[in-house]
Amino acid sequence: GDPKVPVLYEVERTRTGKSFSVRYVKAIQHGKPIFTCLASFQLSQGSPVQHQFTMPAVPPPEELLTQEELIQKFLQNPNLAERYRKHLNKIQAEDVPIDIKPVNPPDIFCSELQEPKQLFWVRARGYIGETDMKVHCCVAAYISDYAFLGTALLPHRQYHVKFMVSLDHSMWFHAPFRADHWMLYECESPWAGGCRGLVQGRLWRQDGVLAVTCAQEGVIRVEQMPNQSKL
């Protein structure tokens, strides 16, 4: 999209039922759709049919370093190669409105391939408060996209990313939550191939309640990375 041009939203009332309603939204700029969204809404209903996975056992966020603290730790190494120093400085300079604490941060000095799974503690920066739940859902949608597709690249660290973009992103909201409170983001990639990658994610409240489930498919184009030492 073009941030300098207003966005025209076309909303189609696809279905309006007693319990469930569906809306199809098309965002348009310069006469062309830049974004489409299919949203389903449900009235709150109780049911005896309830279950969920078990939240992974991980250290609490208070015991972990933030992404900024980890980057600063790497930058303090005088033997860090200049190209990696520039890359880390670029990440550090990004104005990301999310607090992130990786549970198992990757070792920048290790080129070993990893399992396509990662865990983060995440929350929105600042105070949102007890506002409309739809606001927290919108913020969670933003949070869920950060580093999500990159999970599919963990077993392929020998390649340099030329192009990576989301094709579609789906979310299911299960329970109330606060996007400005710490939540555990569990990400995994069950498949990649044909220049595409599939990732799945779960956002857990600190009390172990599964709040949100996510899925994303994206384009991933890579090239062989030159064999250079990070030191």
Side-chain angles (χ1 to χ4, degrees):
D2 186 345
K4 298 178 181 178
V5 178
V7 180
L8 173 65
Y9 292 97
E10 291 184 354
V11 181
E12 176 186 306
R13 295 173 179 262
T14 307
R15 182 180 187 276
T16 302
K18 294 181 179 180
S19 300
F20 293 88
S21 295
V22 180
R23 299 292 184 264
Y24 177 74
V25 183
K26 186 188 295 184
I28 300 172
Q29 278 186 333
H30 303 294
K32 296 181 179 180
I34 60 169
F35 173 86
T36 58
C37 172
L38 187 65
S40 178
F41 303 91
Q42 179 194 9
L43 290 175
S44 180
Q45 295 175 296
S47 171
V49 180
Q50 297 185 45
H51 72 267
Q52 66 166 48
F53 285 173
T54 300
M55 178 179 172
V58 299
E62 294 76 21
E63 297 180 7
L64 300 171
L65 297 176
T66 65
Q67 180 170 271
E68 287 82 0
E69 290 168 334
L70 288 166
I71 289 175
Q72 194 60 41
K73 183 179 176 182
F74 287 132
L75 290 173
Q76 288 173 356
N77 189 319
N79 298 317
L80 183 65
E82 187 59 28
R83 70 189 187 99
Y84 287 98
R85 189 175 299 278
K86 288 181 179 179
H87 177 65
L88 291 175
N89 280 322
K90 182 180 179 181
I91 295 175
Q92 198 173 40
E94 293 177 352
D95 186 18
V96 179
I98 311 170
D99 287 324
I100 303 165
K101 291 191 174 186
V103 173
N104 295 301
D107 186 349
I108 192 172
F109 299 106
C110 177
S111 59
E112 291 184 7
L113 307 183
Q114 295 178 251
E115 192 178 10
K117 296 182 179 181
Q118 52 184 343
L119 292 160
F120 306 94
W121 284 105
V122 294
R123 69 179 179 186
R125 285 182 177 165
Y127 177 78
I128 298 176
E130 296 287 351
T131 183
D132 192 325
M133 187 61 209
K134 292 190 286 292
V135 174
H136 289 282
C137 289
C138 289
V139 175
Y142 180 91
I143 291 174
S144 71
D145 193 44
Y146 187 82
F148 196 21
L149 194 54
T151 309
L153 288 168
L154 294 177
H156 312 285
R157 298 178 69 186
Q158 72 272 34
Y159 296 106
H160 172 71
V161 179
K162 292 173 58 181
F163 181 78
M164 185 167 67
V165 67
S166 172
L167 289 171
D168 51 62
H169 190 108
S170 301
M171 301 186 71
W172 295 266
F173 298 95
H174 312 307
F177 61 91
R178 285 274 298 270
D180 54 351
H181 287 181
W182 285 115
M183 292 190 292
L184 181 67
Y185 196 16
E186 179 186 11
C187 306
E188 58 185 0
S189 174
W191 175 89
C195 294
R196 290 178 291 125
L198 177 67
V199 288
Q200 298 169 341
R202 290 179 281 273
L203 278 166
W204 300 88
R205 294 190 332 210
Q206 277 195 271
D207 61 0
V209 171
L210 179 59
V212 186
T213 298
C214 317
Q216 185 179 95
E217 186 183 40
V219 176
I220 303 176
R221 301 190 190 279
V222 299
E223 61 184 2
Q224 188 71 43
M225 185 182 297
N227 187 18
Q228 297 182 10
S229 172
K230 296 180 177 63
L231 297 175

